[in-house]
Amino acid sequence: MTSLTVVIDADPGTDDAIGILVALGHADLELRGVTTVGGNAAVDVTTDNALRLLSAVDRPVPVFAGCATPLGARERFGHGFLARPHRPGRDREGLGLPPTSRRAEDVSAVDFLIDTFTGEQAANAVLVATGPLTNVASALLRRPDLARSLRRLVVMGGARGQGNVTPSADFNFWADPEAARVVLRAGLPDVVLFPLDATRSAPLTESDCVAIERSGHVGALAADIIRSRMPTRAADGSVPDPATTATVHDALCTAHLVAPVLQASERCEVDVDTSESGRRGTSVMKRASGRDSPGVEVALRARSDILARTIGAATRRMSADGTPTGASSR
Ligand code: RIB
Ligand code: CA
């Protein structure tokens, strides 16, 4: 099988990090670059997190720093209203990886996306977007012809039910609803959307972490990152409660490229509320009327067993390469 060229546009972020590891470790994927955006933290932090992760697993994939400010607001990501609420028991600063001397490329994320997804090389390339959609929307606004040449896009965003940052909005769409709307209205030919309901249907357990950990040193790093997403831990903070699970939203988008994690989906017309009301960032999904109507494929349910196996296979392959991780243990 010819490998698929992948670019990940992300705001790492622990779940973004697992998505990046899947892309690095799968034989059928070639990770061409990571573009970063503000989101889970300010863009300088998400960029540094991406660089630390790639250094820890010794992969020389280039990182391109992207937008610090959403399209529809002057406030910077990671500051004030746009700061991610702190969740008890989580590492506020990021992944807990050692510093790296690596730096982002001189090319901006938006320029890199335009270069990669125009021209002949775009034919076999797929974009996975797991942060606010600011970089992707900026590229489309600058080069509207990208709407034809960006043939495949997989997005984590939106929610049919309960949100995670307001009662109805998921973080990615809420952080830049204007950008999400630009992307969803661009008429891209092949968009798959993983909203919160689908990602929450595929939580990973402590036994999944144990299996992933057994795949080697990269698996140990991945398991450590996944466990850091488990909301409740044993009283001493060291041993995860076996009953807890972790939702690893963004990893599903990359796993979807190589494994049948998507259990059920339906074609929908999707819009995003850009009002200044309490519904800002809420996705509005309506089943598309026919095969030819505009729309995106919206995931309804996903398979946690396949997700866990896909992460384990990717980390096993990377561990077999023998490169030690520079990961600190937490
Ligand atoms: O709503 C889920 C999204 O926001 C994910 O991309 C995750 O990284 C988060 O912060
Ligand atoms: Ca993310």
Side-chain angles (χ1 to χ4, degrees):
M1 178 174 168
T2 323
S3 67
L4 193 61
T5 300
V6 185
V7 173
I8 298 187
D9 184 72
D11 60 338
T14 48
D15 54 339
D16 304 78
I18 301 298
I20 292 170
L21 291 178
V22 169
L24 287 169
H26 201 285
D28 299 332
L29 300 178
E30 188 219 326
L31 184 60
R32 183 66 60 81
V34 175
T35 53
T36 57
V37 64
N40 282 314
V43 70
D44 51 338
V45 176
T46 61
T47 304
D48 186 50
N49 282 345
L51 290 162
R52 287 179 187 223
L53 178 69
L54 292 164
S55 295
V57 295
D58 200 28
R59 291 299 190 280
V61 172
V63 173
F64 302 85
C67 298
T69 308
L71 285 192
R74 263 182 277 165
E75 189 189 344
R76 285 166 59 86
F77 288 117
H79 297 261
F81 183 64
L82 288 175
R84 195 85 168 88
H86 179 56
R87 284 160 291 176
R90 304 232 180 143
D91 178 352
R92 187 192 277 275
E93 293 303 318
L95 301 173
L97 295 169
T100 176
S101 57
R102 282 197 51 193
R103 295 287 168 260
E105 307 296 307
D106 288 335
V107 175
S108 77
V110 174
D111 286 337
F112 177 72
L113 290 175
I114 291 171
D115 287 351
T116 308
F117 290 98
T118 49
E120 283 186 10
Q121 79 276 10
N124 192 38
V126 55
L127 177 59
V128 173
T130 60
L133 286 166
T134 320
N135 292 336
V136 185
S138 301
L140 283 161
L141 290 171
R142 181 138 31 109
R143 287 287 298 270
D145 56 311
L146 265 187
R148 286 191 305 280
S149 57
L150 173 47
R151 307 240 177 110
R152 224 181 140 190
L153 172 67
V154 185
V155 174
M156 192 283 133
R160 284 169 183 272
Q162 181 74 29
N164 61 356
V165 67
T166 73
S168 56
D170 112 278
F171 177 75
N172 286 344
F173 282 9
W174 171 86
D176 196 347
E178 281 79 8
R181 179 176 266 189
V182 166
V183 173
L184 292 164
R185 288 185 172 181
L188 296 164
D190 181 354
V191 180
V192 175
L193 180 66
F194 279 86
L196 281 182
D197 329 83
T199 60
R200 284 173 173 152
S201 74
L204 299 185
T205 62
E206 171 56 19
S207 21
D208 293 324
C209 289
V210 169
I212 291 167
E213 198 166 39
R214 286 200 187 114
S215 71
H217 59 281
V218 180
L221 168 62
D224 196 26
I225 292 172
I226 295 165
R227 285 187 180 116
S228 77
R229 298 185 61 80
M230 291 182 171
T232 53
R233 310 185 82 172
D236 69 357
S238 59
V239 184
D241 176 344
T244 65
T245 58
T247 304
V248 194
H249 313 281
D250 297 341
L252 281 160
C253 296
T254 319
H256 168 65
L257 303 178
V258 289
V261 287
L262 178 53
Q263 191 178 11
S265 66
E266 70 178 2
R267 195 157 182 81
C268 293
E269 291 173 30
V270 184
D271 197 7
V272 181
D273 192 320
T274 57
S275 71
E276 295 298 334
S277 73
R279 288 188 57 80
R280 183 168 171 80
T282 301
S283 50
V284 183
M285 303 186 194
K286 191 178 86 185
R287 190 184 284 193
S289 39
R291 274 184 74 84
D292 297 329
S293 64
V296 305
E297 204 60 33
V298 179
L300 299 172
R301 282 188 306 285
R303 292 272 304 262
S304 59
D305 55 340
I306 298 180
L307 175 64
R309 280 205 294 276
T310 306
I311 297 168
T315 54
R316 183 173 304 107
R317 189 161 173 267
M318 292 177 78
S319 300
D321 288 352
T323 314
T325 61
S328 61
S329 62
R330 282 173 299 171

